[in-house]
């Protein structure tokens, strides 16, 4: 069964935000998220921002399942 990418829930995580010498989020958003998808800054090793991403994905899925 084929699944279209656009039919799936989407979110972008800008991870490892605790590291030194990383690209600013505004540049990442401009380059990686021109469509304006839900996006989140995360530090996954500390669970910072990960629940927000999960909530966003779950909300998108529930909205697709709603009649």
């Amino acid at each position: 069964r084929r699944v279209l990418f656009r039919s799936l829930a989407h979110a972008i995580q800008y991870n490892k935000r605790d590291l030194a010498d990383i690209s600013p989020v505004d540049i990442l958003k401009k380059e990686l998220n021109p469509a304006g998808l839900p996006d989140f800054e995360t530090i996954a090793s500390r669970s910072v921002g990960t629940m927000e991403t999960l909530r966003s994905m779950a909300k998108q899925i529930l909205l697709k399942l709603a009649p």
Side-chain angles (χ1 to χ4, degrees), residues 11-64:
I12 295 176
Q13 281 189 329
Y14 307 110
N15 194 21
K16 302 197 179 288
R17 302 311 302 164
D18 56 331
L19 299 180
D21 299 323
I22 57 176
S23 298
V25 172
D26 60 329
I27 292 174
L28 293 173
K29 285 184 180 194
K30 181 180 176 187
E31 296 293 323
L32 301 175
N33 192 11
L37 297 171
D39 57 0
F40 304 89
E41 294 183 53
T42 62
I43 305 170
S45 62
R46 294 190 215 150
S47 298
V48 174
T50 55
M51 285 304 296
E52 291 83 354
T53 305
L54 179 60
R55 278 189 210 102
S56 173
M57 299 289 285
K59 181 178 179 181
Q60 292 175 56
I61 292 166
L62 291 172
L63 288 172
K64 288 184 184 285

